[in-house]
Amino acid sequence: MSQLALAQPNSPYVDFWNTMLVPKFDQWRHILVGGLGLHSAKVFPQLKLATGDAVLDVGCGWGETAIEIARRVGPSGRVIGLDCCDAFLAAGRADAAQAGVRNVSFVAADVETYAFAPGFDVCFSRFGTQFFQNPVAGLRNMRRGLKPEGLMTMIVWRERADNPWLERAKKVLLRYLPPVEESAASCGPGPFSMADPELVTKQLQIAGYTDPEFKRIDADVMVGRNVEEAIAFQLAIGPAGEVYRAAGAEAERKRQILVDALRAELQDFARPEGVMMASSSWLVTARNPL
């Protein structure tokens, strides 16, 4: 029996990731992997993995977490990394081959519309589930891949106020540019869609999980090796990048004003090691019942 059912047509969110965001993410991979990796690095020592486990890594991006999990479960285990972006998965395959990690494979999949064959011990996701168009559908599909009492672990961003690395630049740009219209093309609900534990608990329960738990993770992330790189990063990625992109020609006309305003905002965060800003996430765990 195949691990995955036949693919369904891509959602507009999946198409947006592949056509608009992948090139930007690839350009800023050194910052994104470094920042996101701080959160998974704090989770991995407590991630309940055993030698020989079968693991799903949902929204695996460039695959660094899938490769690390594959090392943890050993040659007798197996890992499948899933993502909707083919370019990310190509990087994951190349990195796994270079590292000699042979018990990991990568599959292009929209998690909300794939039906998983059950049999996985653990399902892991780092900052992937918050972009589900239909969170309950995506979480339910993840659960269907788990064995009875299998563990689902996901890392999602906490509220905006605890993530200035994503929000401060957006507030600066909104002094000069209009907010993004609801009808604008996007990558999904967004990074803060799972910030509320009460809401996420309900989503997990509706999706059929039991025993949801939340643990806070804090880390200072580097948003640029210097202030100028941090400015360019904020104009390209995340909520500020979304405001800039949606404003189109108006943003281009005001670019120097925006750059100057961001420089004034970000220079206070400059450190010898780079521009460092606070970030905060939830480590969420839940189980597939018997």
Side-chain angles (χ1 to χ4, degrees):
M1 184 174 183
S2 65
Q3 294 292 341
L4 301 169
L6 294 176
Q8 301 296 316
N10 283 346
S11 74
Y13 293 155
V14 171
D15 290 336
F16 188 82
W17 270 101
N18 279 288
T19 59
M20 180 63 69
L21 293 184
V22 167
K24 294 179 182 291
F25 274 59
D26 281 341
Q27 179 184 358
W28 297 102
R29 180 177 177 179
H30 63 289
I31 290 178
L32 291 167
V33 169
L36 306 186
L38 293 173
H39 290 260
S40 53
K42 292 190 175 185
V43 168
F44 271 29
Q46 54 190 303
L47 191 60
K48 296 179 180 178
L49 294 173
T51 301
D53 273 354
V55 184
L56 284 169
D57 185 349
V58 171
C60 66
W62 294 289
E64 68 273 6
T65 52
I67 292 170
E68 176 61 24
I69 291 170
R71 292 190 177 108
R72 290 276 302 275
V73 300
S76 61
R78 61 188 175 94
V79 178
I80 296 180
L82 299 104
D83 202 280
C84 66
C85 300
D86 292 312
F88 289 163
L89 298 175
R93 294 185 188 104
D95 288 348
Q98 184 176 10
V101 178
R102 297 182 175 85
N103 60 329
V104 60
S105 59
F106 295 95
V107 178
D110 181 348
V111 179
E112 295 180 47
T113 55
Y114 266 79
F116 297 104
F120 291 89
D121 301 283
V122 176
C123 183
F124 175 81
S125 182
R126 183 187 69 183
F127 302 121
T129 55
Q130 58 209 10
F131 295 105
F132 286 167
Q133 181 178 6
N134 184 331
V136 170
L139 292 168
R140 182 181 290 122
N141 260 354
M142 290 162 60
R143 183 181 63 78
R144 286 170 176 160
L146 287 170
K147 296 177 180 177
E149 294 196 312
L151 181 68
M152 190 282 297
T153 299
M154 64 181 179
I155 307 173
V156 298
W157 294 117
R158 295 183 71 251
E159 61 188 55
R160 288 174 170 83
D162 293 310
N163 282 286
W165 81 284
L166 286 171
E167 276 298 292
R168 292 286 285 267
K170 176 184 176 181
K171 290 180 179 178
V172 171
L173 263 60
L174 287 176
R175 299 174 196 161
Y176 307 95
L177 298 175
V180 178
E181 296 181 0
E182 290 187 8
S183 60
S186 76
C187 59
F192 302 112
S193 67
M194 288 186 162
D196 181 356
E198 184 176 349
L199 172 63
V200 175
T201 295
K202 291 179 180 178
Q203 291 170 339
L204 289 168
Q205 290 171 340
I206 294 170
Y209 293 90
T210 60
D211 306 317
E213 295 183 3
F214 294 76
K215 181 178 179 180
R216 178 173 179 162
I217 302 170
D218 294 321
D220 283 348
V221 300
M222 185 188 74
V223 297
R225 290 167 291 194
N226 53 54
V227 172
E228 298 308 311
E229 185 176 65
I231 292 169
F233 171 73
Q234 294 289 352
L235 290 176
I237 298 291
E242 186 179 21
V243 171
Y244 186 87
R245 181 176 61 250
E250 181 181 357
E252 290 300 321
R253 288 194 302 270
K254 295 180 177 178
R255 183 178 178 88
Q256 191 56 52
I257 296 173
L258 301 174
V259 167
D260 291 343
L262 285 172
R263 184 180 296 110
E265 183 75 18
L266 296 174
Q267 62 188 5
D268 289 341
F269 298 94
R271 304 287 184 270
E273 63 272 29
V275 180
M276 308 298 295
M277 302 184 75
S279 71
S280 187
S281 65
W282 287 120
L283 165 62
V284 186
T285 57
R287 288 200 176 273
N288 184 27
L290 285 171

